[in-house]
Structures are given as C-alpha cells and as structure tokens.
Amino acid sequence: MSERPQAPRGTFDVLPDQAALRLAVERCARGALEAAGYQRIETPVFEDTDVFRRTVGESTDIVQKEMYTFEDAGGRSLTLRPEVTAPIVRAYIEHGMHKLPQPVKLWYLGPCFRYERAQAGRYRQFWQLGAEALGSDDPAVDAESILLLATILDELGVRGTRLRIASLGAPASRARYRELLQGHLRAHEDRLAAEVRARIDLNPLRAFDSDHPGTREVMASAPLLLDHLDAADAEHFAQVRELLDAAELPYEIDPTLVRGLDYYTRTVFELTSDALGAQSGVGGGGRYDGLAEQLGGAHVPGMGWAAGIERILLAAEERPVPAPICDLYVAVTGNVPGAGGPAAVAAFALAAEARRAGVPTQIELAGRSLKGQLKQAARLGARYVAIVADEGIELKDMQSAQQESVDSAGAVVAHVLRGRHA
Ligand code: ATP
Ligand code: MG
C-alpha cells in the first residue's frame, strides 16, 4: 500500500471544533476594530518577493531564512506572505488611498507563512489578525492601536498578559545610535557569541536578543537607544505614554525591545502571555513611518500590529462552544438510502421550504431506520421532527414528546415558527 499523505510539517487542519473557536476570536476582534473605525482589507496570499525584501529587511531572520519564495511559470519571483503590513502599504499606494480622509484604518485576518522550526505555538502556516492605521503620525494613533489589541486580548480571555513598549526613534537618531552600539560591541568583541559578532555590521540591535552569557554581560552595559532619541522622537514617545496612562493601560518600558522586522520607527510594542511557554509573544507591532517610501510611494506614516490566532487560542481560557441550532429534523419512513420514492422527495421539499423560511433544518442523509433517525434528531438537539411517510406528515415535538398529523409542508413550517417564537 502506498504511504498516506499528511498535512505538511508545521501546518495543521482546523477541524470543526477549532474552527468554531477561531470564528469566536474573529467576531470579537471584528466587533472591537469596526467599532473603532477600522475596515476589513484582504490582500493576496502571495506578493512580488520585493515587497518583503525591501521592507522587512535583508538582515532579518524572516528574509534570510523564513520566506517561502518561488518562481512562477512566468519567471517572476513570488513569496507567500510572512506578514501583512508591507502588502497593505503596497495596496494603500497602489489604490491611491492617500486621497481618502486620513488616517485610513484597516484590519485583516488571514494566513501567513514562515519556514521556522515547528513546535507548539510556532507553525509554518499560521493566521494573523492585524490592524493598520495609515496617514497620520499623531501619538494618539499609536496609543489607540495599542489599546485596541490589549482590549481584544482581554475580551478574549487571554491570561497573564504583559505589555512592553519602547521607541526606536527616527532613522537619523537610530543611525547615530547604531554607530555607538557598534563601537561598544567592537570594544568587547572577544566576549560575544559568534553569530552576534558576525552581525555587528548588519544588525547590531539583535545582540539584545541573544541568550549567550558573554553577550548578555556585554549588553548589560551597552548604550540604550531610548537614551539617544532626538527631541521630536522623545516627545512623541512621551505623548504615547501619557495617553496610555490616561486610558489606564498598564505597560512596562523595555529599552531592549527588539522587533524582528526592520521597518519600525518610533513606537514599538509587544504583548506576551505567561500562559505560553517559550513562544510567549501573542502580538506586537509599532510605527513604520518610512515603509511607504521603501515601496516607492510618498511619505506615509503608519502604525499597526499583528497577533497570532493560534497563540491567542493557546493563551485564552477555554470557553464552551455553543452547539449549532437545529429547529427541525426531517425524517422519512421506509427509508432506504438512495432509493428515492415519493416520501423521500416530499421530505426533501419540506426541508427546502423550511430553510427558505429561515428555520435551521437538517434532513436524514444516511438511510437510518425511523428509530435511528429519532435518535440522530435527539443528538442534534432538534426541537421538532417531521416524519414524512407516503400517507402524510406527522410532527413530533421533542420537548413534550407529543406527536400530531399535519396536513402540509406549509403547516409544518408555520408550526415550527410558532414554536420557535413561543
Ligand atoms: P516570535 O518572536 O515568537 O518569533 P515574531 O516577533 O516573529 O514572534 P511577529 O512577526 O511580530 O512575530 O508576528 C506577530 C505575531 O504573529 C506574533 O506575536 C505571534 O503571535 C504570531 N506568529 C509569528 N510567527 C508565528 C509562527 N511561526 N507561528 C505562529 N504564530 C506566529
Ligand atoms: Mg519570529
């Protein structure tokens, strides 16, 4: 026998129970985001590879080793999206959204792809929920965005969350700071991990991320970007903090907060949960005032975040999923699968009529005996069962167990509707 195919490593099937939980997350997020003026956007699952190369950053893990990049039959280099911010900015430019009232506030939900070491909470296909506000550099945009994610996670019952924030400053102060940090790293080069040493030129900030003991010692005395912001950036960060304080949202300032994407400027933040193990990040984001220019557009300030649906569900309290409603089960007597006959046709027509009237209806599809059908109806929690025979229709009320003859399909539907509203 040949081997049976399985879902690829790092991917998973979303079975109905899980799908119901994910839908609950989507409903909650959508409610909060749309109430705050965010509108849904959907972009393609793949983009020109350049969209990510030019924005996420050549030196990042994502671009260096995590992208699913392929050439299509026309010889174009395409990439399954590892994140959705750059595609949304691409869409903003492409559709001239700068002509709309600013900021344009967009939210999304969809699959992302990263070639990573698969483990609990870390997959190769995962879903991101995200929100982006484009066209304003007002600190209130930053505070509103952060507050929205914190509120959504709270409403979803995500346990043990911790919010950390920082500012990376504008590119100019970042560049000056970078040189300072490189100087510090070079001065202590012999104590650094090899991979940190190799990245001094390319990405010195990542040194703050290292678990290597020697590197950690060196980083303890490293200069901090937060102490080297220029006046405008420091003022912007102070205003964001003031607004978060006004909204009574607790946070910690983490001067070593490093994000895995290069496009961030000014505010960055991350929400973690102790309910997760090593993969503690539930969501995060920040401001990206230079991203649109990196994609060949005009200067468009932006701020947003993304959160992983699977990690939200791992960190949230289990909530019971309500069973789907079944108001009417249509059974057939003398049932033989596929045999057809007038009763089976009448049953099908009755179910169609009931559904047109808005009654949640299920029909016998597996050729069960009448006893088996009643059992199945009970399992589904059906309120009524219509038993269709060649001679006519009987309607059974599953609560009172009373059964009566009904003279037409229309009468069954009217009866069920009355019962539902009673
Ligand atoms: P991590 O540090 O855990 O790798 P990240 O910084 O790479 O996370 P982001 O790029 O900020 O993550 O993506 C936002 C969110 O998307 C994360 O907080 C997480 O919830 C989710 N996420 C990222 N990568 C994965 C993955 N491989 N599997 C599942 N969820 C993921
Ligand atoms: Mg990552």
Side-chain angles (χ1 to χ4, degrees):
M1 219 172 75
S2 65
E3 239 179 69
R4 281 174 303 177
Q6 296 186 331
R9 178 184 290 275
T11 72
F12 51 87
D13 299 307
V14 178
L15 300 181
D17 279 355
Q18 278 295 313
L21 292 171
R22 295 164 77 97
L23 189 61
V25 171
E26 174 173 353
R27 286 207 176 114
C28 169
R30 179 181 161 197
L33 289 162
E34 296 192 346
Y38 282 76
Q39 294 180 298
R40 179 138 189 179
I41 183 168
E42 286 178 31
T43 59
V45 156
F46 55 81
E47 294 275 344
D48 285 342
T49 300
D50 243 16
V51 169
F52 305 111
R53 274 197 181 286
R54 280 157 64 170
T55 58
V56 170
E58 288 287 351
S59 72
T60 60
D61 282 350
I62 292 180
V63 169
Q64 289 213 329
K65 51 188 189 201
E66 294 175 0
M67 295 208 303
Y68 282 93
T69 297
F70 60 98
E71 207 171 86
D72 74 1
R76 295 168 204 90
S77 178
L78 298 172
T79 294
L80 297 183
R81 62 182 184 198
E83 62 103 51
V84 194
T85 304
I88 286 178
V89 175
R90 195 259 315 131
Y92 176 98
I93 300 167
E94 188 170 331
H95 300 286
M97 291 192 220
H98 63 279
K99 293 184 213 122
L100 302 171
Q102 307 292 300
V104 175
K105 302 205 279 191
L106 304 166
W107 75 276
Y108 62 87
L109 175 67
C112 290
F113 307 84
R114 296 183 192 178
Y115 186 75
E116 298 202 67
R117 215 162 62 81
Q119 53 202 293
R122 189 175 295 285
Y123 312 101
R124 292 181 176 171
Q125 175 174 329
F126 58 98
W127 279 54
Q128 278 192 346
L129 164 73
E132 314 289 350
L134 292 141
S136 165
D137 63 5
D138 192 316
V141 172
D142 307 43
E144 178 181 81
S145 169
I146 296 170
L147 190 57
L148 267 169
L149 177 57
T151 307
I152 290 168
L153 296 184
D154 189 49
E155 273 178 35
L156 287 168
V158 173
R159 295 161 295 162
T161 53
R162 190 174 146 209
L163 168 62
R164 290 175 302 137
I165 65 169
S167 174
L168 300 180
S173 43
R174 189 132 119 229
R176 274 195 306 278
Y177 165 74
R178 209 178 130 102
E179 280 175 27
L180 214 64
L181 180 62
Q182 282 168 334
H184 178 80
L185 292 171
R186 286 212 185 85
H188 304 280
E189 210 168 329
D190 49 327
R191 289 158 64 198
L192 299 176
E195 78 264 16
V196 174
R197 215 176 312 141
R199 290 222 230 174
I200 293 181
D201 286 322
L202 213 54
N203 199 347
L205 273 163
R206 289 305 287 224
F208 284 111
D209 256 358
S210 174
D211 296 325
H212 175 258
T215 306
R216 291 182 71 93
E217 275 170 40
V218 173
M219 297 322 284
S221 63
L224 295 174
L225 177 49
L226 267 184
D227 300 328
H228 295 270
L229 298 180
D230 67 28
D233 293 343
E235 173 59 22
H236 188 274
F237 189 47
Q239 287 188 35
V240 172
R241 288 184 336 248
E242 188 186 357
L243 296 172
L244 293 178
D245 292 338
E248 293 175 30
L249 182 68
Y251 58 85
E252 295 157 45
I253 295 172
D254 180 355
T256 67
L257 186 59
V258 180
R259 309 271 317 138
L261 303 110
D262 277 358
Y263 52 62
Y264 287 115
T265 55
R266 295 192 158 176
T267 314
V268 284
F269 77 100
E270 203 159 80
L271 268 147
T272 53
S273 161
D274 354 304
L276 300 173
Q279 272 55 253
S280 64
V282 183
R287 184 163 272 292
Y288 43 84
D289 293 345
L291 212 167
E293 281 155 296
Q294 287 170 317
L295 288 173
H299 175 74
V300 182
M303 165 81 201
W305 50 257
I309 294 293
E310 294 77 17
R311 291 199 198 163
I312 290 178
L313 286 170
L314 283 171
E317 276 164 62
E318 293 267 338
R319 303 216 176 157
V321 176
I325 295 164
C326 175
D327 280 336
L328 177 63
Y329 191 90
V330 183
V332 198
T333 56
N335 200 16
V336 180
V345 173
F348 194 87
L350 166 56
E353 185 170 339
R355 286 175 177 160
R356 273 197 301 273
V359 176
T361 302
Q362 295 213 38
I363 188 168
E364 172 57 25
L365 294 171
R368 292 178 181 84
S369 67
L370 184 56
K371 199 170 147 210
Q373 293 179 68
L374 287 166
K375 226 166 151 181
Q376 172 66 0
R379 235 186 330 251
L380 293 169
R383 178 75 178 77
Y384 294 95
V385 180
I387 302 160
V388 183
D390 288 344
E391 306 77 47
I393 310 171
E394 297 267 316
L395 187 62
K396 180 167 181 176
D397 182 326
M398 296 292 274
Q399 266 169 23
S400 64
Q402 273 175 5
Q403 191 167 319
E404 57 182 287
S405 293
V406 185
D407 39 355
S408 68
V412 170
V413 173
H415 194 110
V416 173
L417 283 174
R418 262 201 316 279
R420 280 212 308 170
H421 298 137

